Amino acid sequence: KAGVTQTPRYLIKTRGQQVTLSCSPISGHRSVSWYQQTPGQGLQFLFEYFSETQRNKGNFPGRFSGRQFSNSRSEMNVSTLELGDSALYLCASSLGAGRASGNTIYFGEGSWLTVV
Amino acid sequence: TQLLEQSPQFLSIQEGENLTVYCNSSSVFSSLQWYRQEPGEGPVLLVTVVTGGEVKKLKRLTFQFGDARKDSSLHITAAQPGDTGLYLCAGPNNDMRFGAGTRLTVKP
């Protein structure tokens, strides 16, 4: 079955602009999580959605937001872009929500965002 | 400070050598996972360890979960260039927390 699909793969934006990234989870998966990956900070958790509800949020400013649709597809938005927002943004999907249950998460290939 | 500390940060070895990378925490985890990430791709799950003291083998890769469930190791025997990548450990903590990773390069 198809894996996690993220679009676009690469994009360049200028400071102050906003960006929307899209993620289609594996069919049947209802949980979608977003991560930011940078060389200096590694993989940082942004937020998790399950059944259109945000279940958990990482320590990022309010400029970072997301949503999930009824078909489990998710989008994340970053407003007022800063140079430091340049990163690989990864989406991951899993069957259920919550990590204590040990749900396996599957990552997409990511969206490379460069802010100039 | 990372919840999961991985060491070494970088490792460059010759094909055929053995290596061990470590994942340590002061917190107890119900499980730990290991991922490998290749350039331009997302992380791919290698294994999940759940029981303290558990050892799992995946071909030339051996994963061990510490008895106290605070640490884990990954040992690769006779490394090959195809093993090159970023190795990440991760554990559930409300959300999934990742270590900074060990970047492994295996030279032919």
Side-chain angles (χ1 to χ4, degrees):
Chain A
K1 60 185 177 185
V4 178
T5 305
Q6 291 187 244
T7 57
R9 283 279 282 143
Y10 305 93
L11 67 167
I12 300 173
K13 293 284 189 178
T14 56
R15 279 181 297 176
Q17 285 187 314
Q18 66 92 26
V19 67
T20 299
L21 308 177
S22 180
C23 173
S24 293
I26 291 172
S27 177
H29 285 193
R30 295 169 63 191
S31 172
V32 173
S33 301
W34 288 89
Y35 293 82
Q36 181 196 65
Q37 187 175 32
T38 59
Q41 298 295 321
L43 264 166
Q44 302 286 315
F45 173 76
L46 280 158
F47 27 65
E48 178 187 12
Y49 287 87
F50 181 81
S51 294
E52 302 179 66
T53 301
Q54 187 180 89
R55 282 185 50 89
N56 211 348
K57 191 177 191 308
N59 190 27
F60 278 81
R63 300 185 296 108
F64 292 80
S65 63
R67 57 178 177 168
Q68 186 179 34
F69 302 96
S70 58
N71 61 359
S72 294
R73 192 176 69 83
S74 177
E75 289 181 348
M76 68 161 283
N77 183 277
V78 188
S79 63
T80 320
L81 284 165
E82 301 176 359
L83 295 179
D85 297 332
S86 295
L88 175 65
Y89 290 87
L90 289 161
C91 168
S93 76
S94 63
L95 275 172
R99 300 294 154 241
S101 62
N103 279 314
T104 298
I105 59 174
Y106 298 86
F107 284 90
E109 292 183 322
S111 292
W112 286 95
L113 170 65
T114 300
V115 182
V116 297
Chain B
T1 304
Q2 295 271 6
L3 187 62
L4 290 164
E5 298 284 346
Q6 289 192 247
S7 61
Q9 190 176 358
F10 298 96
L11 187 56
S12 182
I13 61 171
Q14 292 295 134
E15 182 176 1
E17 293 183 5
N18 301 332
L19 66 115
T20 303
V21 299
Y22 301 92
C23 174
N24 295 292
S25 177
S26 57
S27 301
V28 175
F29 284 93
S30 57
S31 65
L32 278 179
Q33 299 182 337
W34 284 91
Y35 293 78
R36 182 171 72 207
Q37 184 177 18
E38 298 185 25
E41 300 182 8
V44 174
L45 179 67
L46 295 173
V47 78
T48 300
V49 286
V50 178
T51 307
E54 180 178 7
V55 176
K56 281 192 174 179
K57 292 193 175 184
L58 188 67
K59 296 183 181 178
R60 294 175 294 99
L61 278 59
T62 301
F63 304 85
Q64 184 161 9
F65 200 12
D67 291 340
R69 290 185 288 127
K70 292 183 178 182
D71 55 87
S72 181
S73 64
L74 158 59
H75 181 81
I76 302 180
T77 303
Q80 299 177 1
D83 296 326
T84 293
L86 178 66
Y87 288 82
L88 297 158
C89 68
N93 181 57
N94 225 17
D95 50 87
M96 187 65 81
R97 294 295 183 93
F98 285 80
T102 292
R103 191 165 296 280
L104 171 65
T105 302
V106 182
K107 300 174 189 174

